[in-house]
Amino acid sequence: MRRSGGLLSIVLLCAAALSGCGTDTPPESPALDRIAQSGELRVCSTGDYRPLTHLDGGRWSGIDVDMAGDLAAELGARVTMVETTWSTLLDDVVAGRCEIAVGGVSITPDRAERAAFTVPYLRDGKSPIVRCPDVERYRTVEQIDRPGVRAVVNPGGTNERFARETLGDATIVPYPDNNTIFDTVADGRADVMVTDAIETRWQATQHPGVLCAVRPEAPFTESEKAYLTPAGDPVFTGRVDTWLRTARTDGTWDRFAKPWLG
């Protein structure tokens, strides 16, 4: 292992498994057993949430993609990315297509009912992104939720949920490709997209002078992002928690984030 802290890991694993540490039987973990046998960590991601994850022509990139590679190295395995969608991500984890899902996964009650979350690693919230001349027109939910306003959403995730639950008068425009969805705002096919503040900041840097993030420092909502792991495997989730806490404090996450966020 690259990092120290083995005693802490053992304590956490024992506590998570609710078993004594003086026995000859180690805590059971289906995920860790499979990873050890296969030498592979399978990671589900949508590949459409820059700067955390991006899939382009078969090539994966993003902060969480690099983090997944670091976790795999910690587990002595190689990483295999498994493409999914926001509509099927939870089902894929539950069905065992991957050991972990990454890439902007918000903690929600419905996901927590069927799977397990790691400790949060990002705190964020929903915020608008618009054409730069329109910033003052769409600073509040009330300004967005008006007849004639076209709010574009990517189906299946918390962005669509926010729009369906909050926007009663605006026209909600579903758009299936989250990699190109911001172009619909830039070229005038839609007026606004409400998404996570970290994504609005990133997209604004990719469309300078065209798209602007609206008050990303004061989003409409508050949410936490974490990694999603299978239910019923607290040993594995605890192992990931220990790695994640270390990565967020020893500069690993910052090193991966710097090329994207500066």
Side-chain angles (χ1 to χ4, degrees):
M1 297 286 285
R2 188 193 63 216
R3 302 187 182 101
S4 60
L7 179 59
L8 176 60
S9 298
I10 292 171
V11 172
L12 288 174
L13 294 181
C14 291
L18 300 177
S19 61
C21 286
T23 68
D24 295 330
T25 304
E28 294 183 358
S29 170
L32 288 176
D33 288 346
R34 203 208 73 82
I35 293 166
Q37 292 170 9
S38 66
E40 173 190 51
L41 172 69
R42 299 171 302 168
V43 180
C44 283
S45 189
T46 60
D48 62 1
Y49 192 108
R50 288 174 290 183
L52 297 178
T53 178
H54 184 224
L55 176 60
D56 182 17
R59 180 178 180 274
W60 289 88
S61 61
I63 299 169
D64 276 352
V65 175
D66 290 334
M67 286 287 284
D70 190 75
L71 173 59
E74 286 288 305
L75 298 176
R78 66 185 182 278
V79 65
T80 297
M81 300 300 299
V82 179
E83 185 179 3
T84 185
T85 68
W86 290 111
S87 299
T88 61
L89 181 146
L90 177 59
D91 289 338
D92 286 341
V93 173
V94 173
R97 291 191 66 213
C98 51
E99 282 78 46
I100 189 169
V102 309
V105 184
S106 298
I107 297 176
T108 62
D110 58 319
R111 289 169 177 162
E113 285 181 0
R114 301 178 58 204
F117 280 104
T118 65
V119 293
Y121 70 100
L122 277 179
R123 286 173 172 81
D124 209 352
K126 299 303 179 189
S127 182
I129 185 167
V130 302
R131 290 181 294 279
C132 291
D134 294 338
V135 167
E136 294 304 318
R137 296 180 60 188
Y138 301 116
R139 294 180 64 83
T140 67
V141 171
E142 290 74 22
Q143 287 177 304
I144 295 171
D145 191 22
R146 293 180 291 112
V149 175
R150 299 162 298 169
V152 66
V153 299
N154 54 311
T158 57
N159 290 340
E160 182 180 28
R161 183 178 305 174
F162 174 86
R164 300 288 181 193
E165 293 177 351
T166 308
L167 306 180
D169 293 325
T171 299
I172 297 174
V173 182
Y175 187 86
D177 184 1
N178 204 42
N179 281 314
T180 60
I181 193 170
F182 297 92
D183 294 339
T184 69
V185 179
D187 64 21
R189 285 174 287 165
D191 301 304
V192 59
M193 181 176 179
V194 179
T195 185
D196 295 317
I198 188 174
E199 192 173 29
T200 68
R201 288 188 176 101
W202 162 253
Q203 290 295 336
T205 67
Q206 302 307 297
H207 301 81
V210 178
L211 294 181
C212 286
V214 182
R215 299 177 61 198
E217 74 286 352
F220 298 150
T221 64
E222 294 183 0
S223 64
E224 294 179 318
K225 297 193 182 302
Y227 299 142
L228 195 64
T229 60
D233 196 340
V235 173
F236 177 66
T237 305
R239 178 71 175 275
V240 178
D241 281 344
T242 301
W243 159 81
L244 183 54
R245 288 189 182 98
T246 303
R248 288 294 279 133
T249 57
D250 73 354
T252 299
W253 196 91
D254 293 335
R255 174 165 51 87
F256 293 145
K258 187 173 180 58
W260 295 87
L261 302 177

